[in-house]
């Protein structure tokens, strides 16, 4: 493919993408295929001779689209949003064209510096404490990670390294292995499974703190667990608090948890993967109060801030805590400006060495939408969730299972778990809307998350009509 064909095919691809998104709601939101469907549709080996581009595009519809779950359909209400916008897609095109591998400032100065500035921009929009902002006299700063899972792992590994060094300083006779065996991390019983996975990778004990009736962790139970574990000879070193849990969008009480962590010399990480985007709205910012006690904070603009995957933003109070845990300096990566004090080499901030130019997406989206446009998007989706909540509450056959604070509604049919499992199974098989479940207080619960940028009131109304129609059919059956 030469440059002239690329110009032509590129314009065709933009048209294809635009048509796909413009007409996406005409496609079944969930695919009707069986596992292994794709293998029989394509050759068993790669082609020896070049294929025709037109044939490849035809195969996108023949092979790929039948097996796609359409996350950007306005009838997709599963999981949490996967953000998408035209400016972000255009920025991703540019990122691919520039193609730099931004592991250091010298590898591509613009890639490094724009990331630093964009994390400062976003930190200021969120009104984060000054110590998280790189362009100040503070010692912190921000970085783009791939996912919240990765940010949690990085924070836990940095906390582990810091705790071992601190404990060895006052107990030089203890080996690193002896200290490691005593380290204990904590998180909510409602925390995302990636937090527990981080502890497995980090080789530390992870204990789950019971939640209150609103599925949030408070200071009382946490403090009690710390006292018991210290008395048993353990070393509490890390807490991952959640703002906006996956199951019900609950908010841990970080104004209670933070002072305890600070007093106990523990690292507090805040995982706000979904809900963090909403903190750009003044009415939701109080939910972030207590972030001043945190050592690190993370959320995913690629969930709700119109920036395509992947873009998970993480801030640390003291950048030396994370750099010091992972810094490696082979000669082939060194450069003359790395000790200037003005340069950030992001290879020390994460697991991968190679890094894409992801800050371009942030720059494009922030400039095209402006803060007000992003706030309007968040508020619209919260209003749509409230609209769905009102429909549920008006039908006495259903119940709301958790407070609706943002864009997630947890609901169920009054009755057995089996009845609700049956309803979700019918919904999934219909392929008209897509939901996933969760478990709250031992009950099988349906989650209805406002996801697609194009979701509107008519889609909410249609989804509810579909749910109630399926409910009517189920309740007419003798076994229900």
């Amino acid at each position: 493919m030469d440059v002239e064909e690329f110009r032509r095919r590129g314009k065709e691809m933009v048209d294809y993408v635009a048509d796909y998104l413009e007409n996406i709601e005409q496609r079944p939101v969930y695919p009707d295929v069986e596992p292994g469907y794709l293998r029989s549709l394509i050759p068993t080996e790669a082609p020896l001779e070049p294929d025709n581009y037109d044939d490849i595009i035809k195969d996108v519809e023949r092979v790929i689209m039948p097996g796609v779950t359409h996350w950007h359909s306005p009838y997709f209400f599963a999981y949490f949003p996967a953000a998408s916008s035209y400016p972000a897609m255009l920025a991703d095109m540019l990122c691919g064209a520039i193609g730099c591998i931004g592991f250091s400032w010298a590898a591509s100065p613009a890639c490094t510096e724009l990331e630093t500035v964009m994390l400062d921009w976003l930190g200021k929009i969120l009104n984060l404490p000054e110590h998280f902002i790189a362009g100040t006299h503070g010692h912190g700063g921000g970085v783009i990670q791939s996912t919240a899972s990765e940010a949690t792992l990085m924070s836990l590994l940095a906390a582990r390294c810091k705790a071992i060094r601190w404990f060895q300083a006052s107990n030089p006779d203890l080996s690193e292995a002896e200290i490691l065996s005593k380290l204990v991390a904590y998180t909510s019983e409602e925390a995302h499974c990636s937090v527990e996975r981080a502890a497995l990778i980090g080789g530390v004990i992870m204990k789950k703190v019971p939640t209150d009736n609103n599925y949030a962790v408070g200071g009382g139970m946490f403090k009690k667990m710390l006292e018991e574990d210290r008395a048993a000879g353990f070393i509490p070193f890390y807490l991952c608090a959640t703002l906006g849990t996956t199951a019900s969008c609950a908010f841990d009480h970080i104004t209670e948890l933070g002072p305890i962590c600070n007093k106990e010399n523990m690292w507090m990480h805040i995982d706000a993967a979904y809900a963090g985007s909403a903190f750009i709205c003044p009415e939701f910012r109080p939910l972030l109060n207590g972030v001043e006690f945190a050592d690190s904070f993370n959320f995913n603009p690629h969930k709700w801030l119109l920036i395509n995957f992947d873009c998970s933003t993480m801030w640390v109070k003291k950048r030396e805590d994370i750099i010091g845990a992972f810094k490696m300096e082979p000669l082939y990566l060194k450069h003359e400006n790395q000790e200037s004090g003005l340069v950030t080499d992001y290879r020390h901030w994460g697991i991968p060495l190679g890094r894409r130019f992801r800050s371009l997406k942030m720059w494009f989206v922030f400039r095209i939408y402006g803060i007000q446009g992003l706030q309007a998007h968040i508020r619209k989706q919260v209003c749509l969730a409230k609209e769905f909540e009102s429909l549920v509450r008006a039908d006495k056959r259903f119940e709301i299972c958790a407070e609706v604070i943002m864009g997630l509604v947890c609901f169920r049919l009054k009755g057995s778990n089996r009845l609700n499992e049956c309803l979700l199974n019918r919904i999934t098989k219909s392929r008209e809307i897509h939901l996933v479940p969760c478990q709250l207080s031992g009950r099988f619960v349906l989650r209805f998350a406002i996801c697609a940028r194009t979701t509107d009131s008519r889609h909410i109304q249609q989804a509810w009509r579909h749910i109630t129609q399926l409910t009517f059919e189920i309740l007419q059956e003798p076994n229900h």
Side-chain angles (χ1 to χ4, degrees):
M1 183 180 289
D2 59 23
V3 67
E4 290 306 318
E5 184 180 3
F6 175 72
R7 289 181 192 275
R8 180 164 57 90
R9 298 303 190 182
K11 292 170 184 174
E12 290 173 2
M13 181 57 76
V14 168
D15 283 340
Y16 179 86
V17 170
D19 289 343
Y20 165 72
L21 292 172
E22 186 176 26
N23 301 301
I24 194 170
E25 64 183 89
Q26 297 173 16
R27 299 176 184 260
V29 64
Y30 194 70
D32 184 18
V33 296
E34 296 296 327
Y37 89 95
L38 189 144
R39 185 174 290 274
S40 64
L41 298 179
I42 59 177
T44 56
E45 297 179 1
L48 185 62
E49 298 292 331
D51 265 353
N52 180 276
Y53 182 84
D54 289 322
D55 290 339
I56 297 172
I57 293 300
K58 289 175 184 176
D59 281 349
V60 170
E61 284 294 335
R62 182 182 69 88
V63 178
I64 303 301
M65 285 301 177
V68 170
T69 300
H70 298 286
W71 281 63
H72 300 290
S73 167
Y75 294 114
F76 182 93
F77 303 106
Y79 311 108
F80 276 132
S84 177
S85 67
Y86 298 121
M89 283 184 256
L90 292 174
D92 246 353
M93 287 176 61
L94 181 58
C95 170
I98 294 174
C100 63
I101 310 298
F103 49 76
S104 71
W105 181 87
S108 194
C111 181
T112 293
E113 295 198 13
L114 186 64
E115 182 164 337
T116 302
V117 175
M118 287 303 99
L119 269 291
D120 277 3
W121 272 21
L122 185 50
K124 291 173 183 176
I125 297 170
L126 293 165
N127 195 25
L128 290 182
E130 192 173 84
H131 54 242
F132 285 118
I133 307 301
T136 66
H137 300 296
H139 299 285
V143 59
I144 300 175
Q145 305 286 10
S146 298
T147 63
S149 305
E150 189 175 321
T152 300
L153 175 61
M154 294 306 300
S155 67
L156 183 136
L157 294 177
R160 186 189 71 174
C161 179
K162 186 177 182 179
I164 290 173
R165 289 173 180 172
W166 179 84
F167 207 78
Q168 274 188 323
S170 54
N171 300 272
D173 295 335
L174 288 178
S175 68
E176 182 174 323
E178 288 175 305
I179 297 171
L180 187 60
S181 69
K182 297 178 182 294
L183 292 180
V184 181
Y186 302 83
T187 195
S188 165
E189 63 183 356
E190 291 290 326
H192 193 272
C193 62
S194 61
V195 181
E196 190 173 1
R197 178 182 286 179
L200 289 173
I201 296 171
V204 298
I205 300 165
M206 172 72 75
K207 294 195 175 186
K208 296 183 178 181
V209 185
T211 59
D212 59 22
N213 292 334
N214 293 317
Y215 307 108
V217 169
M221 179 59 72
F222 178 53
K223 189 174 182 180
K224 181 174 181 290
M225 291 181 68
L226 293 183
E227 290 170 351
E228 292 173 351
D229 287 343
R230 286 203 185 279
F234 290 108
I235 306 170
F237 80 103
Y238 175 87
L239 168 70
C240 179
T242 305
L243 297 180
T245 58
T246 302
S248 65
C249 200
F251 292 80
D252 289 341
H253 302 289
I254 58 174
T255 53
E256 299 175 14
L257 301 170
I260 296 172
C261 288
N262 288 180
K263 181 180 178 182
E264 297 287 338
N265 197 29
M266 295 175 62
W267 184 297
M268 183 169 80
H269 175 68
I270 297 174
D271 172 13
Y274 163 67
S277 296
F279 301 151
I280 70 170
C281 300
E283 64 268 32
F284 294 118
R285 178 55 178 80
L287 292 166
L288 189 56
N289 288 349
V291 69
E292 62 272 16
F293 299 112
D295 295 273
S296 53
F297 166 67
N298 163 254
F299 83 97
N300 291 341
H302 68 231
K303 274 190 167 65
W304 210 9
L305 213 56
L306 299 177
I307 297 169
N308 295 48
F309 187 84
D310 59 326
C311 182
S312 183
T313 48
M314 177 185 185
W315 291 263
V316 292
K317 183 181 290 186
K318 295 180 180 178
R319 51 184 174 266
E320 280 305 316
D321 287 342
I322 197 166
I323 293 171
F326 308 108
K327 192 170 186 177
M328 303 289 287
E329 288 286 21
L331 182 60
Y332 52 81
L333 293 179
K334 289 184 177 181
H335 58 91
E336 61 183 356
N337 292 299
Q338 67 183 40
E339 304 298 337
S340 69
L342 298 174
V343 168
T344 297
D345 280 355
Y346 280 120
R347 69 180 187 273
H348 304 309
W349 292 61
I351 295 171
L353 178 66
R355 315 182 82 255
R356 296 188 302 113
F357 202 162
R358 292 173 290 195
S359 56
L360 281 171
K361 294 183 289 189
M362 300 176 70
W363 195 43
F364 274 46
V365 168
F366 291 164
R367 294 184 68 183
I368 294 294
Y369 281 91
I371 297 172
Q372 291 181 344
L374 296 172
Q375 290 171 334
H377 170 68
I378 298 291
R379 288 169 178 148
K380 175 189 174 183
Q381 296 213 324
V382 173
C383 286
L384 290 174
K386 292 291 186 181
E387 180 180 347
F388 185 80
E389 178 192 14
S390 69
L391 293 171
V392 175
R393 290 192 184 279
D395 191 322
K396 300 305 179 184
R397 297 172 298 178
F398 290 87
E399 59 184 329
I400 295 292
C401 303
E403 183 182 2
V404 179
I405 299 175
M406 294 189 175
L408 174 67
V409 182
C410 294
F411 74 106
R412 70 194 302 273
L413 267 171
K414 294 174 181 176
S416 67
N417 283 344
R418 180 173 166 271
L419 178 63
N420 283 276
E421 290 171 10
C422 180
L423 174 57
L424 181 62
N425 186 50
R426 297 283 180 91
I427 290 171
T428 302
K429 286 185 174 180
S430 75
R431 301 189 297 131
E432 290 192 25
I433 62 174
H434 190 42
L435 280 68
V436 295
C438 69
Q439 189 175 66
L440 294 173
S441 303
R443 299 187 301 170
F444 187 91
V445 173
L446 282 66
R447 295 171 72 263
F448 189 95
I450 310 301
C451 291
R453 174 177 51 84
T454 55
T455 303
D456 219 329
S457 177
R458 66 182 178 88
H459 303 110
I460 303 300
Q461 297 291 332
Q462 175 58 32
W464 181 243
R465 284 193 294 270
H466 185 62
I467 291 169
T468 54
Q469 177 60 38
L470 292 177
T471 299
F472 175 79
E473 294 171 5
I474 291 170
L475 295 179
Q476 296 301 305
E477 297 170 1
N479 56 333
H480 294 300

